[in-house]
């Protein structure tokens, strides 16, 4: 199942089938856990969770939340022949979160 990808406590997955290591950095992945975050943030700020979700979405260059499948595609790339020369770097799959103010 593509959605059952390697995620570790740091929120970073590492794909390593042949000794190379490349962490995958997800951003705001559309999951039940992220939905709970929007509710908590909304409660903290006394605004609807939908407004918090929209604020988070607008921070993304691509203006859409990634899905577990998006993260899995990064893992599949790294594990495929297309990623055979990628190692020791950090594959960010975040919709542009770290780069958009």
């Amino acid at each position: 199942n593509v959605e059952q990808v390697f995620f570790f406590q740091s929120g970073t997955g590492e794909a390593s089938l042949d000794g190379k290591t490349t962490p995958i950095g997800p951003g705001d992945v559309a999951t039940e856990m992220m939905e709970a975050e929007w509710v908590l943030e909304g409660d903290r700020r006394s605004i609807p969770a939908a407004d918090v979700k929209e604020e988070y979405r607008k921070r993304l260059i691509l203006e859409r939340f990634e899905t577990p499948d998006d993260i899995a595609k990064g893992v599949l790339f790294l594990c495929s022949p297309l990623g055979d020369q990628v190692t020791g770097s950090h594959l960010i799959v975040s919709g542009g979160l770290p780069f958009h103010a």
Side-chain angles (χ1 to χ4, degrees):
N1 185 336
V2 172
E3 293 179 8
Q4 294 175 339
V5 180
F6 317 108
F7 286 98
F8 300 104
Q9 68 184 35
S10 66
T12 301
E14 292 185 9
S16 180
L17 297 179
D18 57 5
K20 65 182 187 168
T21 302
T22 302
I24 296 179
D28 296 334
V29 182
T31 62
E32 289 178 14
M33 186 171 78
M34 199 66 224
E35 291 284 344
E37 171 66 26
W38 296 321
V39 170
L40 289 172
E41 179 71 12
D43 289 348
R44 186 182 69 77
R45 295 170 48 198
S46 299
I47 63 173
D51 291 353
V52 174
K53 182 176 181 178
E54 182 64 10
E55 287 176 5
Y56 276 49
R57 187 190 64 76
K58 287 180 177 180
R59 297 186 309 174
L60 305 170
I61 290 172
L62 299 180
E63 294 192 1
R64 77 167 182 84
F65 297 105
E66 57 272 14
T67 66
D69 281 349
D70 293 322
I71 308 304
K73 289 173 192 175
V75 172
L76 291 173
F77 165 74
L78 292 171
C79 294
S80 77
L82 295 172
D84 67 356
Q85 289 294 310
V86 179
T87 188
S89 59
H90 185 183
L91 180 61
I92 299 173
V93 183
S94 69
L97 178 61
F99 305 105
H100 192 64

